[in-house]
mmCIF file of all heavy atoms in Angstrom:
data_model
loop_
_atom_site.group_PDB
_atom_site.id
_atom_site.type_symbol
_atom_site.label_atom_id
_atom_site.label_comp_id
_atom_site.label_asym_id
_atom_site.label_seq_id
_atom_site.Cartn_x
_atom_site.Cartn_y
_atom_site.Cartn_z
ATOM 1 N N PHE A 1 71.163 75.343 129.575
ATOM 2 C CA PHE A 1 72.437 74.842 129.023
ATOM 3 C C PHE A 1 72.256 74.167 127.763
ATOM 4 O O PHE A 1 71.304 73.547 127.492
ATOM 5 C CB PHE A 1 73.082 73.930 130.105
ATOM 6 C CG PHE A 1 73.647 74.563 131.249
ATOM 7 C CD1 PHE A 1 74.265 73.611 132.286
ATOM 8 C CD2 PHE A 1 73.724 75.902 131.576
ATOM 9 C CE1 PHE A 1 74.700 74.275 133.420
ATOM 10 C CE2 PHE A 1 74.153 76.419 132.649
ATOM 11 C CZ PHE A 1 74.700 75.635 133.617
ATOM 12 N N LYS A 2 73.253 74.252 126.885
ATOM 13 C CA LYS A 2 73.364 73.311 125.757
ATOM 14 C C LYS A 2 73.497 71.870 126.253
ATOM 15 O O LYS A 2 73.987 71.747 127.387
ATOM 16 C CB LYS A 2 74.519 73.602 124.820
ATOM 17 C CG LYS A 2 74.364 74.911 124.156
ATOM 18 C CD LYS A 2 75.671 75.178 123.186
ATOM 19 C CE LYS A 2 75.728 74.093 122.204
ATOM 20 N NZ LYS A 2 76.854 74.320 121.232
ATOM 21 N N LEU A 3 72.925 70.989 125.528
ATOM 22 C CA LEU A 3 72.943 69.555 126.048
ATOM 23 C C LEU A 3 74.403 69.112 126.313
ATOM 24 O O LEU A 3 74.711 68.428 127.286
ATOM 25 C CB LEU A 3 72.316 68.652 125.015
ATOM 26 C CG LEU A 3 70.736 68.582 125.047
ATOM 27 C CD1 LEU A 3 70.249 67.690 123.973
ATOM 28 C CD2 LEU A 3 70.235 68.181 126.316
ATOM 29 N N SER A 4 75.336 69.564 125.523
ATOM 30 C CA SER A 4 76.747 69.070 125.586
ATOM 31 C C SER A 4 77.267 69.533 126.965
ATOM 32 O O SER A 4 77.927 68.778 127.755
ATOM 33 C CB SER A 4 77.596 69.627 124.483
ATOM 34 O OG SER A 4 77.502 71.012 124.367
ATOM 35 N N ARG A 5 77.094 70.789 127.340
ATOM 36 C CA ARG A 5 77.536 71.273 128.567
ATOM 37 C C ARG A 5 76.864 70.586 129.807
ATOM 38 O O ARG A 5 77.513 70.098 130.779
ATOM 39 C CB ARG A 5 77.259 72.868 128.713
ATOM 40 C CG ARG A 5 77.640 73.518 129.995
ATOM 41 C CD ARG A 5 77.392 74.880 129.958
ATOM 42 N NE ARG A 5 77.644 75.581 131.325
ATOM 43 C CZ ARG A 5 77.366 76.821 131.594
ATOM 44 N NH1 ARG A 5 76.655 77.578 130.735
ATOM 45 N NH2 ARG A 5 77.625 77.303 132.814
ATOM 46 N N LEU A 6 75.533 70.424 129.669
ATOM 47 C CA LEU A 6 74.716 69.702 130.727
ATOM 48 C C LEU A 6 75.232 68.294 130.934
ATOM 49 O O LEU A 6 75.442 67.879 132.017
ATOM 50 C CB LEU A 6 73.275 69.837 130.411
ATOM 51 C CG LEU A 6 72.309 69.162 131.421
ATOM 52 C CD1 LEU A 6 72.373 69.977 132.764
ATOM 53 C CD2 LEU A 6 70.906 69.187 130.911
ATOM 54 N N LYS A 7 75.288 67.609 129.829
ATOM 55 C CA LYS A 7 75.614 66.161 129.959
ATOM 56 C C LYS A 7 77.058 65.966 130.450
ATOM 57 O O LYS A 7 77.243 65.215 131.251
ATOM 58 C CB LYS A 7 75.511 65.546 128.580
ATOM 59 C CG LYS A 7 74.114 65.369 128.168
ATOM 60 C CD LYS A 7 74.098 64.739 126.741
ATOM 61 C CE LYS A 7 72.619 64.465 126.335
ATOM 62 N NZ LYS A 7 72.574 63.882 124.894
ATOM 63 N N ARG A 8 77.959 66.838 130.063
ATOM 64 C CA ARG A 8 79.270 66.651 130.543
ATOM 65 C C ARG A 8 79.443 66.850 132.007
ATOM 66 O O ARG A 8 80.167 66.171 132.719
ATOM 67 C CB ARG A 8 80.363 67.695 129.871
ATOM 68 C CG ARG A 8 80.704 67.426 128.463
ATOM 69 C CD ARG A 8 81.719 68.467 127.854
ATOM 70 N NE ARG A 8 81.956 68.321 126.451
ATOM 71 C CZ ARG A 8 82.825 67.457 125.983
ATOM 72 N NH1 ARG A 8 83.494 66.762 126.710
ATOM 73 N NH2 ARG A 8 83.079 67.388 124.680
ATOM 74 N N LEU A 9 78.709 67.859 132.574
ATOM 75 C CA LEU A 9 78.641 68.143 133.938
ATOM 76 C C LEU A 9 77.998 66.929 134.645
ATOM 77 O O LEU A 9 78.511 66.555 135.706
ATOM 78 C CB LEU A 9 78.063 69.486 134.241
ATOM 79 C CG LEU A 9 78.143 69.966 135.659
ATOM 80 C CD1 LEU A 9 79.525 69.996 136.119
ATOM 81 C CD2 LEU A 9 77.437 71.273 135.676
ATOM 82 N N LEU A 10 76.759 66.577 134.336
ATOM 83 C CA LEU A 10 76.074 65.578 135.053
ATOM 84 C C LEU A 10 76.697 64.213 134.925
ATOM 85 O O LEU A 10 76.522 63.353 135.776
ATOM 86 C CB LEU A 10 74.687 65.586 134.564
ATOM 87 C CG LEU A 10 73.891 66.847 134.768
ATOM 88 C CD1 LEU A 10 72.355 66.695 134.341
ATOM 89 C CD2 LEU A 10 73.974 67.389 136.238
ATOM 90 N N ALA A 11 77.431 63.909 133.855
ATOM 91 C CA ALA A 11 78.182 62.564 133.773
ATOM 92 C C ALA A 11 79.544 62.605 134.471
ATOM 93 O O ALA A 11 80.132 61.571 134.509
ATOM 94 C CB ALA A 11 78.390 62.326 132.240
ATOM 95 N N HIS A 12 80.071 63.710 135.055
ATOM 96 C CA HIS A 12 81.295 63.830 135.701
ATOM 97 C C HIS A 12 81.266 62.881 136.927
ATOM 98 O O HIS A 12 80.358 62.816 137.634
ATOM 99 C CB HIS A 12 81.603 65.206 136.109
ATOM 100 C CG HIS A 12 82.933 65.472 136.552
ATOM 101 N ND1 HIS A 12 83.525 65.001 137.762
ATOM 102 C CD2 HIS A 12 84.033 66.080 135.844
ATOM 103 C CE1 HIS A 12 84.726 65.272 137.788
ATOM 104 N NE2 HIS A 12 85.143 66.026 136.672
ATOM 105 N N LYS A 13 82.284 62.133 137.166
ATOM 106 C CA LYS A 13 82.417 61.182 138.167
ATOM 107 C C LYS A 13 82.128 61.773 139.565
ATOM 108 O O LYS A 13 81.664 61.157 140.486
ATOM 109 C CB LYS A 13 83.742 60.438 138.149
ATOM 110 C CG LYS A 13 84.912 61.408 138.456
ATOM 111 C CD LYS A 13 86.172 60.558 138.500
ATOM 112 C CE LYS A 13 87.417 61.503 138.789
ATOM 113 N NZ LYS A 13 88.643 60.667 138.799
ATOM 114 N N ASN A 14 82.342 63.086 139.709
ATOM 115 C CA ASN A 14 82.242 63.733 141.042
ATOM 116 C C ASN A 14 80.882 64.459 141.159
ATOM 117 O O ASN A 14 80.658 65.158 142.158
ATOM 118 C CB ASN A 14 83.441 64.775 141.247
ATOM 119 C CG ASN A 14 84.636 64.066 141.374
ATOM 120 O OD1 ASN A 14 84.785 63.081 141.948
ATOM 121 N ND2 ASN A 14 85.767 64.792 140.865
ATOM 122 N N CYS A 15 80.066 64.278 140.081
ATOM 123 C CA CYS A 15 78.813 64.954 140.107
ATOM 124 C C CYS A 15 77.811 64.772 141.312
ATOM 125 O O CYS A 15 77.205 65.651 141.936
ATOM 126 C CB CYS A 15 77.959 64.815 138.838
ATOM 127 S SG CYS A 15 76.493 65.752 138.703
ATOM 128 N N PRO A 16 77.813 63.543 141.812
ATOM 129 C CA PRO A 16 76.927 63.250 143.059
ATOM 130 C C PRO A 16 77.392 64.026 144.237
ATOM 131 O O PRO A 16 76.567 64.491 145.007
ATOM 132 C CB PRO A 16 77.187 61.759 143.231
ATOM 133 C CG PRO A 16 77.511 61.217 141.957
ATOM 134 C CD PRO A 16 78.317 62.260 141.204
ATOM 135 N N TYR A 17 78.701 64.303 144.395
ATOM 136 C CA TYR A 17 79.172 65.088 145.454
ATOM 137 C C TYR A 17 78.849 66.553 145.187
ATOM 138 O O TYR A 17 78.449 67.270 146.137
ATOM 139 C CB TYR A 17 80.745 64.996 145.578
ATOM 140 C CG TYR A 17 81.147 63.434 145.850
ATOM 141 C CD1 TYR A 17 82.216 62.936 145.184
ATOM 142 C CD2 TYR A 17 80.448 62.786 146.900
ATOM 143 C CE1 TYR A 17 82.529 61.688 145.384
ATOM 144 C CE2 TYR A 17 80.907 61.387 147.034
ATOM 145 C CZ TYR A 17 81.950 60.891 146.352
ATOM 146 O OH TYR A 17 82.362 59.585 146.518
ATOM 147 N N LEU A 18 78.900 67.006 143.986
ATOM 148 C CA LEU A 18 78.620 68.394 143.651
ATOM 149 C C LEU A 18 77.089 68.666 143.983
ATOM 150 O O LEU A 18 76.769 69.704 144.454
ATOM 151 C CB LEU A 18 78.982 68.661 142.268
ATOM 152 C CG LEU A 18 78.514 70.143 141.787
ATOM 153 C CD1 LEU A 18 79.298 71.147 142.544
ATOM 154 C CD2 LEU A 18 78.783 70.263 140.222
ATOM 155 N N ILE A 19 76.294 67.717 143.579
ATOM 156 C CA ILE A 19 74.866 67.859 143.774
ATOM 157 C C ILE A 19 74.495 68.056 145.280
ATOM 158 O O ILE A 19 73.721 68.797 145.742
ATOM 159 C CB ILE A 19 74.044 66.668 143.118
ATOM 160 C CG1 ILE A 19 74.034 66.847 141.590
ATOM 161 C CG2 ILE A 19 72.597 66.627 143.652
ATOM 162 C CD1 ILE A 19 73.432 65.660 140.854
ATOM 163 N N GLU A 20 75.228 67.200 146.086
ATOM 164 C CA GLU A 20 75.118 67.158 147.518
ATOM 165 C C GLU A 20 75.573 68.597 148.106
ATOM 166 O O GLU A 20 74.888 69.147 148.942
ATOM 167 C CB GLU A 20 75.755 66.063 148.122
ATOM 168 C CG GLU A 20 75.735 65.947 149.557
ATOM 169 C CD GLU A 20 74.439 65.304 150.137
ATOM 170 O OE1 GLU A 20 73.705 64.909 149.364
ATOM 171 O OE2 GLU A 20 74.194 65.337 151.344
ATOM 172 N N LEU A 21 76.692 68.986 147.631
ATOM 173 C CA LEU A 21 77.185 70.250 148.073
ATOM 174 C C LEU A 21 76.238 71.459 147.756
ATOM 175 O O LEU A 21 75.962 72.248 148.639
ATOM 176 C CB LEU A 21 78.604 70.533 147.435
ATOM 177 C CG LEU A 21 79.314 71.870 147.845
ATOM 178 C CD1 LEU A 21 79.731 71.807 149.178
ATOM 179 C CD2 LEU A 21 80.420 72.089 146.861
ATOM 180 N N VAL A 22 75.820 71.471 146.542
ATOM 181 C CA VAL A 22 74.919 72.464 146.061
ATOM 182 C C VAL A 22 73.536 72.444 146.903
ATOM 183 O O VAL A 22 73.021 73.609 147.292
ATOM 184 C CB VAL A 22 74.576 72.417 144.485
ATOM 185 C CG1 VAL A 22 73.503 73.421 144.165
ATOM 186 C CG2 VAL A 22 75.958 72.751 143.804
ATOM 187 N N LYS A 23 73.071 71.314 147.097
ATOM 188 C CA LYS A 23 71.832 71.221 147.813
ATOM 189 C C LYS A 23 71.979 71.719 149.225
ATOM 190 O O LYS A 23 71.155 72.469 149.652
ATOM 191 C CB LYS A 23 71.440 69.685 147.879
ATOM 192 C CG LYS A 23 70.070 69.546 148.593
ATOM 193 C CD LYS A 23 69.581 68.045 148.650
ATOM 194 C CE LYS A 23 68.302 67.888 149.415
ATOM 195 N NZ LYS A 23 67.900 66.521 149.447
ATOM 196 N N ALA A 24 73.095 71.406 149.947
ATOM 197 C CA ALA A 24 73.344 71.863 151.319
ATOM 198 C C ALA A 24 73.605 73.306 151.439
ATOM 199 O O ALA A 24 73.143 74.118 152.167
ATOM 200 C CB ALA A 24 74.508 71.104 151.873
ATOM 201 N N ASP A 25 74.272 73.816 150.194
ATOM 202 C CA ASP A 25 74.542 75.273 150.145
ATOM 203 C C ASP A 25 73.230 76.014 149.949
ATOM 204 O O ASP A 25 72.955 77.082 150.727
ATOM 205 C CB ASP A 25 75.592 75.481 148.940
ATOM 206 C CG ASP A 25 75.990 76.910 148.913
ATOM 207 O OD1 ASP A 25 76.028 77.552 150.048
ATOM 208 O OD2 ASP A 25 76.449 77.405 147.801
ATOM 209 N N LEU A 26 72.448 75.712 149.028
ATOM 210 C CA LEU A 26 71.233 76.526 148.700
ATOM 211 C C LEU A 26 70.195 76.337 149.877
ATOM 212 O O LEU A 26 69.540 77.408 150.287
ATOM 213 C CB LEU A 26 70.574 75.867 147.451
ATOM 214 C CG LEU A 26 71.327 76.107 146.102
ATOM 215 C CD1 LEU A 26 70.559 75.429 145.044
ATOM 216 C CD2 LEU A 26 71.439 77.582 145.884
ATOM 217 N N THR A 27 70.271 75.176 150.452
ATOM 218 C CA THR A 27 69.271 75.091 151.731
ATOM 219 C C THR A 27 69.726 75.888 152.822
ATOM 220 O O THR A 27 68.834 76.518 153.485
ATOM 221 C CB THR A 27 69.225 73.662 152.143
ATOM 222 O OG1 THR A 27 68.768 72.754 151.072
ATOM 223 C CG2 THR A 27 68.199 73.407 153.230
ATOM 224 N N SER A 28 71.004 76.040 153.021
ATOM 225 C CA SER A 28 71.558 76.803 154.160
ATOM 226 C C SER A 28 71.218 78.326 153.943
ATOM 227 O O SER A 28 70.972 79.187 154.817
ATOM 228 C CB SER A 28 73.107 76.705 154.198
ATOM 229 O OG SER A 28 73.731 77.307 153.303
ATOM 230 N N GLN A 29 71.032 78.720 152.633
ATOM 231 C CA GLN A 29 70.788 80.100 152.315
ATOM 232 C C GLN A 29 69.270 80.367 152.087
ATOM 233 O O GLN A 29 68.857 81.456 151.615
ATOM 234 C CB GLN A 29 71.560 80.540 151.059
ATOM 235 C CG GLN A 29 73.051 80.518 151.255
ATOM 236 C CD GLN A 29 73.792 80.863 150.053
ATOM 237 O OE1 GLN A 29 73.655 82.150 149.642
ATOM 238 N NE2 GLN A 29 74.605 79.940 149.394
ATOM 239 N N LYS A 30 68.547 79.249 152.194
ATOM 240 C CA LYS A 30 67.121 79.245 151.888
ATOM 241 C C LYS A 30 66.799 79.717 150.521
ATOM 242 O O LYS A 30 65.911 80.600 150.269
ATOM 243 C CB LYS A 30 66.385 80.155 152.888
ATOM 244 C CG LYS A 30 66.498 79.705 154.319
ATOM 245 C CD LYS A 30 65.745 80.476 155.359
ATOM 246 C CE LYS A 30 65.920 79.952 156.783
ATOM 247 N NZ LYS A 30 65.162 80.814 157.835
ATOM 248 N N GLN A 31 67.570 79.272 149.573
ATOM 249 C CA GLN A 31 67.398 79.620 148.153
ATOM 250 C C GLN A 31 66.718 78.489 147.384
ATOM 251 O O GLN A 31 66.627 77.361 147.829
ATOM 252 C CB GLN A 31 68.837 79.741 147.482
ATOM 253 C CG GLN A 31 69.655 80.784 148.083
ATOM 254 C CD GLN A 31 69.069 82.247 147.662
ATOM 255 O OE1 GLN A 31 68.706 82.477 146.460
ATOM 256 N NE2 GLN A 31 69.151 83.129 148.629
ATOM 257 N N PRO A 32 65.968 78.763 146.385
ATOM 258 C CA PRO A 32 65.178 77.748 145.622
ATOM 259 C C PRO A 32 66.134 76.762 144.963
ATOM 260 O O PRO A 32 67.206 76.915 144.638
ATOM 261 C CB PRO A 32 64.494 78.564 144.519
ATOM 262 C CG PRO A 32 65.300 79.852 144.332
ATOM 263 C CD PRO A 32 65.935 80.138 145.821
ATOM 264 N N LEU A 33 65.539 75.551 144.915
ATOM 265 C CA LEU A 33 66.286 74.308 144.407
ATOM 266 C C LEU A 33 65.817 73.972 143.017
ATOM 267 O O LEU A 33 66.202 72.778 142.633
ATOM 268 C CB LEU A 33 66.024 73.269 145.392
ATOM 269 C CG LEU A 33 66.344 73.363 146.915
ATOM 270 C CD1 LEU A 33 66.081 72.229 147.597
ATOM 271 C CD2 LEU A 33 67.863 73.864 147.032
ATOM 272 N N ASP A 34 65.163 74.837 142.297
ATOM 273 C CA ASP A 34 64.610 74.474 141.012
ATOM 274 C C ASP A 34 65.729 73.937 140.109
ATOM 275 O O ASP A 34 65.535 72.905 139.375
ATOM 276 C CB ASP A 34 63.946 75.753 140.363
ATOM 277 C CG ASP A 34 62.749 76.214 141.158
ATOM 278 O OD1 ASP A 34 62.460 75.583 142.274
ATOM 279 O OD2 ASP A 34 62.070 77.111 140.714
ATOM 280 N N ASP A 35 66.846 74.752 139.887
ATOM 281 C CA ASP A 35 67.879 74.160 138.949
ATOM 282 C C ASP A 35 68.397 72.915 139.333
ATOM 283 O O ASP A 35 68.736 72.019 138.501
ATOM 284 C CB ASP A 35 68.911 75.304 138.898
ATOM 285 C CG ASP A 35 68.524 76.595 138.200
ATOM 286 O OD1 ASP A 35 67.436 76.510 137.535
ATOM 287 O OD2 ASP A 35 69.174 77.606 138.392
ATOM 288 N N LEU A 36 68.685 72.728 140.580
ATOM 289 C CA LEU A 36 69.221 71.406 141.245
ATOM 290 C C LEU A 36 68.237 70.331 141.005
ATOM 291 O O LEU A 36 68.610 69.308 140.537
ATOM 292 C CB LEU A 36 69.476 71.578 142.657
ATOM 293 C CG LEU A 36 70.137 70.401 143.418
ATOM 294 C CD1 LEU A 36 71.504 70.169 142.897
ATOM 295 C CD2 LEU A 36 70.019 70.596 144.898
ATOM 296 N N GLU A 37 67.058 70.563 141.199
ATOM 297 C CA GLU A 37 65.957 69.487 140.984
ATOM 298 C C GLU A 37 65.983 69.104 139.565
ATOM 299 O O GLU A 37 65.773 67.950 139.205
ATOM 300 C CB GLU A 37 64.633 69.993 141.462
ATOM 301 C CG GLU A 37 64.678 70.021 143.058
ATOM 302 C CD GLU A 37 63.235 70.642 143.611
ATOM 303 O OE1 GLU A 37 62.458 71.178 142.729
ATOM 304 O OE2 GLU A 37 63.134 70.644 144.790
ATOM 305 N N PHE A 38 66.103 70.156 138.620
ATOM 306 C CA PHE A 38 66.039 69.796 137.213
ATOM 307 C C PHE A 38 67.241 68.806 136.815
ATOM 308 O O PHE A 38 67.056 67.859 136.177
ATOM 309 C CB PHE A 38 66.232 71.103 136.411
ATOM 310 C CG PHE A 38 66.554 70.892 134.909
ATOM 311 C CD1 PHE A 38 65.592 70.593 133.974
ATOM 312 C CD2 PHE A 38 67.798 70.967 134.478
ATOM 313 C CE1 PHE A 38 65.962 70.241 132.610
ATOM 314 C CE2 PHE A 38 68.220 70.746 133.164
ATOM 315 C CZ PHE A 38 67.213 70.424 132.252
ATOM 316 N N CYS A 39 68.433 69.224 137.425
ATOM 317 C CA CYS A 39 69.637 68.439 137.176
ATOM 318 C C CYS A 39 69.476 66.946 137.808
ATOM 319 O O CYS A 39 69.854 65.998 137.025
ATOM 320 C CB CYS A 39 70.822 69.062 137.784
ATOM 321 S SG CYS A 39 71.354 70.528 136.980
ATOM 322 N N CYS A 40 68.923 66.867 138.851
ATOM 323 C CA CYS A 40 68.774 65.574 139.408
ATOM 324 C C CYS A 40 67.767 64.760 138.619
ATOM 325 O O CYS A 40 67.995 63.503 138.390
ATOM 326 C CB CYS A 40 68.186 65.662 140.943
ATOM 327 S SG CYS A 40 69.370 66.333 142.077
ATOM 328 N N GLN A 41 66.663 65.325 138.102
ATOM 329 C CA GLN A 41 65.633 64.586 137.331
ATOM 330 C C GLN A 41 66.301 64.336 136.104
ATOM 331 O O GLN A 41 66.147 62.982 135.589
ATOM 332 C CB GLN A 41 64.479 65.605 137.140
ATOM 333 C CG GLN A 41 63.564 65.785 138.314
ATOM 334 C CD GLN A 41 62.704 64.581 138.639
ATOM 335 O OE1 GLN A 41 62.203 63.805 137.824
ATOM 336 N NE2 GLN A 41 62.461 64.270 140.019
ATOM 337 N N TYR A 42 67.026 65.188 135.426
ATOM 338 C CA TYR A 42 67.594 64.813 134.066
ATOM 339 C C TYR A 42 68.628 63.664 134.259
ATOM 340 O O TYR A 42 68.675 62.680 133.473
ATOM 341 C CB TYR A 42 68.210 66.056 133.525
ATOM 342 C CG TYR A 42 68.702 65.940 132.082
ATOM 343 C CD1 TYR A 42 67.901 66.251 131.066
ATOM 344 C CD2 TYR A 42 69.943 65.256 131.768
ATOM 345 C CE1 TYR A 42 68.245 66.129 129.785
ATOM 346 C CE2 TYR A 42 70.259 65.114 130.486
ATOM 347 C CZ TYR A 42 69.512 65.536 129.486
ATOM 348 O OH TYR A 42 69.867 65.337 128.202
ATOM 349 N N ARG A 43 69.499 63.838 135.291
ATOM 350 C CA ARG A 43 70.526 62.684 135.511
ATOM 351 C C ARG A 43 69.881 61.338 135.910
ATOM 352 O O ARG A 43 70.376 60.400 135.261
ATOM 353 C CB ARG A 43 71.412 63.153 136.665
ATOM 354 C CG ARG A 43 72.719 62.472 136.812
ATOM 355 C CD ARG A 43 73.536 63.087 137.846
ATOM 356 N NE ARG A 43 74.867 62.409 137.875
ATOM 357 C CZ ARG A 43 75.197 61.312 138.578
ATOM 358 N NH1 ARG A 43 74.206 60.868 139.398
ATOM 359 N NH2 ARG A 43 76.309 60.804 138.597
ATOM 360 N N ASP A 44 68.830 61.353 136.607
ATOM 361 C CA ASP A 44 68.205 60.114 137.044
ATOM 362 C C ASP A 44 67.474 59.467 135.935
ATOM 363 O O ASP A 44 67.376 58.169 135.984
ATOM 364 C CB ASP A 44 67.366 60.277 138.279
ATOM 365 C CG ASP A 44 68.120 60.666 139.484
ATOM 366 O OD1 ASP A 44 69.312 60.456 139.539
ATOM 367 O OD2 ASP A 44 67.492 61.286 140.464
#
């Protein structure tokens, strides 16, 4: 992503809930978490 798109999304007030939803979703499908982990690392 461009930084502007990434930052807007990760700074959104509901982002913690989205991260939790995506993690549960990907885990239930046994999909890789690489993109999600990148987002968590960048945000933190």
Side-chain angles (χ1 to χ4, degrees):
F1 288 176
K2 289 182 64 176
L3 281 176
S4 54
R5 178 182 175 187
L6 180 66
K7 289 178 181 179
R8 284 183 188 277
L9 186 56
L10 299 185
H12 195 284
K13 63 180 181 180
N14 297 325
C15 185
Y17 301 131
L18 179 61
I19 288 174
E20 181 76 3
L21 177 72
V22 172
K23 182 179 179 181
D25 187 24
L26 293 175
T27 302
S28 72
Q29 300 180 61
K30 298 182 179 179
Q31 295 293 317
L33 304 178
D34 298 1
D35 291 344
L36 180 65
E37 289 171 353
F38 167 82
C39 290
C40 292
Q41 287 288 325
Y42 191 93
R43 191 172 187 273
D44 291 343

